[in-house]
Amino acid sequence: MKTPEQCSSLDDVRRGIDAMDEQIIRALGRRLAYVKAAAQFKPTEQSIAAPERVAAMLPQRQQWAREAGLDPMFAVPLFAQIIHWNIAQQVRHWRICHGLEQGAQDE
């Protein structure tokens, strides 16, 4: 994949964007695997949300965004959405592992 500076056509740029989007999606999938792995260490369904952890995570992501030259006003809501969706997935996974919910075939 060419760097943005090496692109010599719109097609080069689009290929680069597509490649980056694929990496982002794959990274989100790996992140979800970690989230599901955390379920084994949560004694109760109520312990999953961990609001103190979320409160600590968002400022750190804000700082990382600044360091990467991104607007934190974009990054923080994005990560809030990712975090909250992952919490819902962890709750579902926890319930399946504890026999409280029937899982999908991919569980």
Side-chain angles (χ1 to χ4, degrees):
M1 176 174 58
K2 293 181 179 182
T3 67
E5 299 77 23
Q6 294 170 330
C7 291
S8 58
S9 69
L10 186 55
D11 283 340
D12 286 346
V13 171
R14 288 178 176 163
R15 278 191 291 276
I17 289 170
D18 289 348
M20 293 302 306
D21 287 352
E22 182 181 5
Q23 289 177 19
I24 291 167
I25 295 294
R26 289 183 187 280
L28 288 170
R30 284 191 307 273
R31 185 186 197 285
L32 180 58
Y34 280 107
V35 167
K36 287 181 176 181
Q40 67 185 311
F41 303 107
K42 305 288 180 95
T44 65
E45 184 177 330
Q46 292 72 31
S47 67
I48 291 172
E52 69 287 346
R53 167 75 173 140
V54 174
M57 289 173 71
L58 291 176
Q60 186 176 48
R61 273 75 184 154
Q62 183 178 34
Q63 181 60 36
W64 291 343
R66 273 194 206 97
E67 291 168 2
L70 296 174
D71 183 348
M73 296 304 290
F74 165 74
V76 170
L78 175 65
F79 269 92
Q81 184 175 358
I82 290 169
I83 290 164
H84 292 296
W85 184 82
N86 275 259
I87 288 170
Q89 297 306 304
Q90 190 180 95
V91 166
R92 183 171 179 270
H93 183 72
W94 189 93
R95 288 177 181 168
I96 290 166
C97 291
H98 288 84
L100 303 172
E101 186 174 312
Q102 187 147 1
Q105 296 199 15
D106 62 295
E107 281 292 330

Short mmCIF file of all heavy atoms in Angstrom, two decimals, residues 20-43:
data_model
loop_
_atom_site.label_atom_id
_atom_site.label_comp_id
_atom_site.label_asym_id
_atom_site.label_seq_id
_atom_site.Cartn_x
_atom_site.Cartn_y
_atom_site.Cartn_z
N MET A 20 -7.05 0.82 4.77
CA MET A 20 -7.12 1.31 6.15
C MET A 20 -8.45 0.92 6.80
O MET A 20 -8.48 0.51 7.97
CB MET A 20 -6.94 2.83 6.20
CG MET A 20 -5.56 3.30 5.79
SD MET A 20 -4.21 2.63 6.78
CE MET A 20 -4.71 3.03 8.42
N ASP A 21 -9.55 1.05 6.05
CA ASP A 21 -10.85 0.67 6.61
C ASP A 21 -10.89 -0.81 6.97
O ASP A 21 -11.43 -1.18 8.01
CB ASP A 21 -11.98 1.01 5.62
CG ASP A 21 -12.25 2.49 5.52
OD1 ASP A 21 -11.69 3.27 6.33
OD2 ASP A 21 -13.03 2.88 4.63
N GLU A 22 -10.29 -1.64 6.12
CA GLU A 22 -10.24 -3.07 6.43
C GLU A 22 -9.44 -3.31 7.72
O GLU A 22 -9.83 -4.11 8.58
CB GLU A 22 -9.62 -3.86 5.28
CG GLU A 22 -9.59 -5.35 5.56
CD GLU A 22 -8.97 -6.17 4.44
OE1 GLU A 22 -8.46 -5.59 3.46
OE2 GLU A 22 -8.98 -7.40 4.57
N GLN A 23 -8.33 -2.60 7.88
CA GLN A 23 -7.52 -2.75 9.10
C GLN A 23 -8.30 -2.28 10.34
O GLN A 23 -8.21 -2.91 11.40
CB GLN A 23 -6.22 -1.95 8.97
CG GLN A 23 -5.25 -2.56 7.99
CD GLN A 23 -3.99 -1.72 7.82
OE1 GLN A 23 -3.68 -0.87 8.65
NE2 GLN A 23 -3.28 -1.95 6.73
N ILE A 24 -9.07 -1.21 10.19
CA ILE A 24 -9.88 -0.72 11.31
C ILE A 24 -10.92 -1.77 11.71
O ILE A 24 -11.09 -2.06 12.90
CB ILE A 24 -10.55 0.62 10.95
CG1 ILE A 24 -9.49 1.73 10.86
CG2 ILE A 24 -11.63 0.99 11.97
CD1 ILE A 24 -9.98 3.01 10.21
N ILE A 25 -11.60 -2.34 10.71
CA ILE A 25 -12.62 -3.37 11.00
C ILE A 25 -11.99 -4.58 11.66
O ILE A 25 -12.51 -5.12 12.65
CB ILE A 25 -13.36 -3.78 9.70
CG1 ILE A 25 -14.16 -2.60 9.14
CG2 ILE A 25 -14.24 -5.00 9.93
CD1 ILE A 25 -15.30 -2.11 10.00
N ARG A 26 -10.86 -5.03 11.16
CA ARG A 26 -10.17 -6.18 11.76
C ARG A 26 -9.73 -5.86 13.19
O ARG A 26 -9.82 -6.70 14.08
CB ARG A 26 -8.99 -6.61 10.91
CG ARG A 26 -9.42 -7.27 9.61
CD ARG A 26 -8.21 -7.75 8.79
NE ARG A 26 -8.62 -8.22 7.50
CZ ARG A 26 -9.14 -9.41 7.24
NH1 ARG A 26 -9.35 -10.26 8.21
NH2 ARG A 26 -9.48 -9.75 6.01
N ALA A 27 -9.25 -4.63 13.43
CA ALA A 27 -8.86 -4.23 14.78
C ALA A 27 -10.07 -4.20 15.72
O ALA A 27 -9.96 -4.62 16.88
CB ALA A 27 -8.17 -2.87 14.75
N LEU A 28 -11.20 -3.75 15.22
CA LEU A 28 -12.41 -3.76 16.06
C LEU A 28 -12.82 -5.20 16.39
O LEU A 28 -13.30 -5.47 17.50
CB LEU A 28 -13.55 -3.01 15.36
CG LEU A 28 -13.39 -1.49 15.31
CD1 LEU A 28 -14.45 -0.89 14.40
CD2 LEU A 28 -13.44 -0.88 16.70
N GLY A 29 -12.64 -6.10 15.46
CA GLY A 29 -12.92 -7.51 15.72
C GLY A 29 -11.99 -8.08 16.79
O GLY A 29 -12.43 -8.82 17.68
N ARG A 30 -10.73 -7.73 16.72
CA ARG A 30 -9.77 -8.18 17.74
C ARG A 30 -10.11 -7.55 19.10
O ARG A 30 -10.02 -8.21 20.14
CB ARG A 30 -8.33 -7.83 17.34
CG ARG A 30 -7.78 -8.75 16.26
CD ARG A 30 -6.28 -8.58 16.05
NE ARG A 30 -5.86 -7.21 15.81
CZ ARG A 30 -5.82 -6.62 14.61
NH1 ARG A 30 -6.19 -7.28 13.54
NH2 ARG A 30 -5.39 -5.37 14.50
N ARG A 31 -10.52 -6.29 19.08
CA ARG A 31 -10.91 -5.61 20.32
C ARG A 31 -12.09 -6.34 20.96
O ARG A 31 -12.12 -6.57 22.16
CB ARG A 31 -11.28 -4.15 20.02
CG ARG A 31 -11.56 -3.34 21.27
CD ARG A 31 -12.08 -1.94 20.91
NE ARG A 31 -11.99 -1.02 22.02
CZ ARG A 31 -12.82 -1.03 23.06
NH1 ARG A 31 -13.79 -1.91 23.14
NH2 ARG A 31 -12.66 -0.16 24.04
N LEU A 32 -13.08 -6.71 20.13
CA LEU A 32 -14.23 -7.44 20.64
C LEU A 32 -13.82 -8.78 21.25
O LEU A 32 -14.37 -9.20 22.27
CB LEU A 32 -15.28 -7.64 19.55
CG LEU A 32 -16.55 -8.39 19.97
CD1 LEU A 32 -17.26 -7.69 21.13
CD2 LEU A 32 -17.48 -8.55 18.77
N ALA A 33 -12.84 -9.44 20.67
CA ALA A 33 -12.36 -10.70 21.24
C ALA A 33 -11.80 -10.48 22.64
O ALA A 33 -12.03 -11.29 23.55
CB ALA A 33 -11.31 -11.33 20.32
N TYR A 34 -11.07 -9.39 22.85
CA TYR A 34 -10.58 -9.06 24.20
C TYR A 34 -11.74 -8.76 25.15
O TYR A 34 -11.73 -9.18 26.31
CB TYR A 34 -9.64 -7.85 24.16
CG TYR A 34 -8.24 -8.18 23.72
CD1 TYR A 34 -7.78 -7.82 22.46
CD2 TYR A 34 -7.36 -8.85 24.57
CE1 TYR A 34 -6.49 -8.11 22.05
CE2 TYR A 34 -6.06 -9.14 24.17
CZ TYR A 34 -5.63 -8.77 22.91
OH TYR A 34 -4.35 -9.06 22.52
N VAL A 35 -12.72 -8.03 24.65
CA VAL A 35 -13.89 -7.70 25.47
C VAL A 35 -14.59 -8.98 25.92
O VAL A 35 -14.96 -9.12 27.09
CB VAL A 35 -14.86 -6.78 24.67
CG1 VAL A 35 -16.20 -6.68 25.35
CG2 VAL A 35 -14.23 -5.40 24.49
N LYS A 36 -14.76 -9.92 25.01
CA LYS A 36 -15.40 -11.20 25.37
C LYS A 36 -14.52 -11.98 26.34
O LYS A 36 -15.03 -12.62 27.26
CB LYS A 36 -15.70 -12.02 24.12
CG LYS A 36 -16.86 -11.47 23.33
CD LYS A 36 -17.14 -12.33 22.12
CE LYS A 36 -18.35 -11.85 21.35
NZ LYS A 36 -18.64 -12.71 20.18
N ALA A 37 -13.21 -11.93 26.15
CA ALA A 37 -12.30 -12.62 27.07
C ALA A 37 -12.43 -12.06 28.48
O ALA A 37 -12.29 -12.79 29.47
CB ALA A 37 -10.86 -12.53 26.58
N ALA A 38 -12.68 -10.76 28.60
CA ALA A 38 -12.82 -10.13 29.92
C ALA A 38 -14.03 -10.66 30.67
O ALA A 38 -14.04 -10.64 31.91
CB ALA A 38 -12.93 -8.61 29.77
N ALA A 39 -15.03 -11.17 29.96
CA ALA A 39 -16.24 -11.66 30.61
C ALA A 39 -15.94 -12.77 31.62
O ALA A 39 -16.62 -12.88 32.64
CB ALA A 39 -17.24 -12.15 29.57
N GLN A 40 -14.91 -13.56 31.37
CA GLN A 40 -14.59 -14.67 32.28
C GLN A 40 -14.10 -14.17 33.63
O GLN A 40 -14.10 -14.92 34.61
CB GLN A 40 -13.56 -15.59 31.64
CG GLN A 40 -12.20 -14.96 31.45
CD GLN A 40 -11.23 -15.85 30.72
OE1 GLN A 40 -11.08 -17.01 31.06
NE2 GLN A 40 -10.58 -15.30 29.70
N PHE A 41 -13.70 -12.91 33.70
CA PHE A 41 -13.20 -12.35 34.95
C PHE A 41 -14.24 -11.49 35.67
O PHE A 41 -13.94 -10.91 36.71
CB PHE A 41 -11.94 -11.51 34.68
CG PHE A 41 -10.86 -12.30 33.99
CD1 PHE A 41 -10.57 -12.09 32.65
CD2 PHE A 41 -10.15 -13.27 34.68
CE1 PHE A 41 -9.59 -12.82 32.00
CE2 PHE A 41 -9.16 -14.01 34.04
CZ PHE A 41 -8.88 -13.79 32.69
N LYS A 42 -15.43 -11.43 35.11
CA LYS A 42 -16.51 -10.64 35.70
C LYS A 42 -17.42 -11.57 36.48
O LYS A 42 -18.05 -12.46 35.91
CB LYS A 42 -17.31 -9.90 34.61
CG LYS A 42 -16.46 -9.03 33.70
CD LYS A 42 -15.96 -7.79 34.41
CE LYS A 42 -15.11 -6.91 33.51
NZ LYS A 42 -15.81 -5.84 32.87
N PRO A 43 -17.51 -11.38 37.80
CA PRO A 43 -18.29 -12.32 38.62
C PRO A 43 -19.79 -12.20 38.43
O PRO A 43 -20.52 -13.18 38.59
CB PRO A 43 -17.89 -11.95 40.05
CG PRO A 43 -17.44 -10.52 39.97
CD PRO A 43 -16.84 -10.36 38.59
#
